[in-house]
């Protein structure tokens, strides 16, 4: 399930937002302070962070800097600061999007969905560029190191995966034991 960390100290804002995102099928966690946000992210991670700038304990800009130092998680800043310099600063710090309050919750949900669609499309393109192999109902993804047969995951050891991927990249070819040792084991 896609996980969203909402960092917002106003319960009157975070509660309806969490409810709306949960109804859309997202797993939502709320952090009310900057330090709580860092702790929540470090312990449980997130696929997206919705970040208020004015937080107790640590500003949203500091949270953004800290998250960017350790992760490329998408960040959408939500703030009452509407000046152009504030938006530019937020984007320069690493935010992927910036919404000035008040805004429509439905617009925010639409932006979240659009961001995840873009991420999925980029991920698909990366997998194709990296050489995802498909044979009938067998799919081998070298980036995720996953194998699926009939859309069901196949559990393989790292060495089994390396061998399968090597053989799949060289269909119809025969290899000696020594050649396999050199090619797969290095």
């Amino acid at each position: 399930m896609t996980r969203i960390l909402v960092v917002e100290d106003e319960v009157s804002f975070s509660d309806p937002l969490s409810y709306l995102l949960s109804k859309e099928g997202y797993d939502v966690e709320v952090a009310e302070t900057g330090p709580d946000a860092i702790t929540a992210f470090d312990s449980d991670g997130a696929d997206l962070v919705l970040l208020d700038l004015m937080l107790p304990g640590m500003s949203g800009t500091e949270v953004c800097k800290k998250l960017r130092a350790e992760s490329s998680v998408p960040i959408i800043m939500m703030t009452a600061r509407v000046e152009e310099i504030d938006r530019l600063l937020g984007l320069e710090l690493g935010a992927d999007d910036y919404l000035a309050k008040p805004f429509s919750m439905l617009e925010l949900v639409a932006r979240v969905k659009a961001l995840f669609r873009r991420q999925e499309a980029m991920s698909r393109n990366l997998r194709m560029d990296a050489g995802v192999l498909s044979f009938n109902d067998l799919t081998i993804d070298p980036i995720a190191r996953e194998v699926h047969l009939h859309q069901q995951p196949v559990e393989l050891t790292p060495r089994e995966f390396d061998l399968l991927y090597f053989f799949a990249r060289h269909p119809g070819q025969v290899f000696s034991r020594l050649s396999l040792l050199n090619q797969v084991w290095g």
Side-chain angles (χ1 to χ4, degrees):
M1 183 180 273
T2 304
R3 182 173 168 69
I4 298 177
L5 176 60
V6 176
V7 186
E8 172 63 62
D9 61 327
E10 292 180 39
V11 176
S12 62
F13 186 80
S14 63
D15 279 355
L17 179 58
S18 296
Y19 175 77
L20 192 56
L21 290 168
S22 295
K23 293 276 287 178
E24 291 293 328
Y26 300 112
D27 177 26
V28 181
E29 181 176 353
V30 176
E32 294 182 1
T33 69
D36 288 348
I38 298 301
T39 300
F41 187 82
D42 287 345
S43 65
D44 299 322
D47 298 300
L48 170 67
V49 176
L50 300 177
L51 177 63
D52 186 20
L53 283 184
M54 294 181 275
L55 297 167
M58 177 189 293
S59 73
T61 55
E62 288 300 314
V63 172
C64 186
K65 281 187 220 175
K66 215 161 173 51
L67 292 177
R68 270 298 159 256
E70 61 187 64
S71 170
S72 61
V73 65
I75 299 171
I76 297 178
M77 286 189 171
M78 315 172 297
T79 182
R81 295 182 184 170
V82 295
E83 298 297 319
E84 181 181 31
I85 189 70
D86 294 319
R87 289 192 309 270
L88 292 174
L89 178 62
L91 295 170
E92 284 294 318
L93 288 173
D96 297 281
D97 202 352
Y98 190 104
L99 279 169
K101 293 179 184 175
F103 54 80
S104 160
M105 294 266 185
L106 296 176
E107 178 185 355
L108 176 60
V109 171
R111 287 177 186 239
V112 166
K113 288 179 177 180
L115 190 141
F116 284 134
R117 275 194 311 272
R118 280 193 309 273
Q119 268 193 320
E120 178 57 33
M122 287 174 32
S123 177
R124 248 190 332 269
N125 290 342
L126 276 175
R127 285 194 302 270
M128 286 173 39
D129 289 346
V132 172
L133 303 175
S134 294
F135 305 94
N136 297 325
D137 288 329
L138 176 71
T139 304
I140 306 169
D141 184 342
I143 289 183
R145 295 187 64 82
E146 294 176 349
V147 175
H148 288 87
L149 181 61
H150 305 292
Q151 298 181 340
Q152 298 298 315
V154 176
E155 296 296 321
L156 297 174
T157 67
R159 188 63 65 212
E160 289 169 338
F161 178 88
D162 292 342
L163 276 168
L164 178 62
Y165 187 64
F166 179 79
F167 286 135
R169 284 184 27 234
H170 302 93
Q173 295 182 29
V174 177
F175 297 94
S176 68
R177 182 178 183 279
L178 182 59
S179 178
L180 285 175
L181 287 171
N182 287 331
Q183 296 288 333
V184 178
W185 272 264

